[in-house]
Amino acid sequence: VVSTQSTESSGINAEYGGGSMYLAMAKGALSRDHVMIIPTNHIKCQQFLDESQQADVERFKASLRTMNRTLKKCTTVFFERSLATSHLQIQSVPVARYSVADIKDVFYTFSSRYSLEVQEVPAAEGWRELVPPGCD
């Protein structure tokens, strides 16, 4: 369970690890429980997080997975929004378990429609090895 405190941004700040990340409600949310994991400092993408910051991200992810699995009976989908911005946003969206099989198709359909690239990272592999330096 994550120990939390309120922040000015109406998010939830992680007290562990110096509070390098916070949770915020998503503006234009995909669902009622859509939240974002955001660094307190301006960091462009996950590739630029140090070990302590990445550990904070992983703790938030684990807490969100547990909450969604136990309270909402959902699976949690995480994806990084990486546009021309200097502020990382890791999206967290609970998805009904029965629709998990459709998620991959939805990502590919919409990425094709909007000329975006989707790169799958196999569960057993680390994503850092697959992302080119600079993540531009």
Side-chain angles (χ1 to χ4, degrees):
V1 177
V2 177
S3 177
T4 60
Q5 63 185 17
S6 295
T7 66
E8 292 178 18
S9 63
S10 300
I12 298 172
N13 209 30
E15 287 183 356
Y16 46 70
S20 68
M21 301 289 153
Y22 67 94
L23 287 182
M25 301 302 292
K27 188 175 183 180
L30 299 176
S31 71
R32 191 176 133 251
D33 298 313
H34 179 177
V35 297
M36 300 177 295
I37 304 169
I38 301 173
T40 55
N41 296 326
H42 289 280
I43 298 172
K44 186 173 181 176
C45 63
Q46 281 191 81
Q47 188 172 7
F48 294 135
L49 296 176
D50 63 30
E51 288 182 26
S52 173
Q53 293 165 325
Q54 188 62 47
D56 283 349
V57 167
E58 295 307 321
R59 282 191 277 270
F60 264 123
K61 284 181 172 183
S63 294
L64 288 165
R65 279 187 196 105
T66 299
M67 179 187 71
N68 290 331
R69 182 178 59 249
T70 58
L71 298 178
K72 298 174 176 44
K73 306 300 184 215
C74 292
T75 298
T76 308
V77 174
F78 296 100
F79 59 97
E80 180 177 340
R81 176 182 168 257
S82 186
L83 298 172
T85 179
S86 63
H87 214 129
L88 165 67
Q89 295 176 0
I90 300 170
Q91 311 291 320
S92 171
V93 182
V95 175
R97 290 180 183 165
Y98 64 83
S99 64
V100 169
D102 299 327
I103 293 171
K104 184 176 173 180
D105 291 338
V106 170
F107 271 97
Y108 279 100
T109 298
F110 279 89
S111 67
S112 176
R113 183 179 300 165
Y114 296 103
S115 301
L116 300 171
E117 180 183 342
V118 173
Q119 185 174 8
E120 282 187 67
V121 179
E125 290 186 33
W127 59 267
R128 289 184 184 265
E129 294 79 26
L130 300 174
V131 179
C135 68
D136 291 332

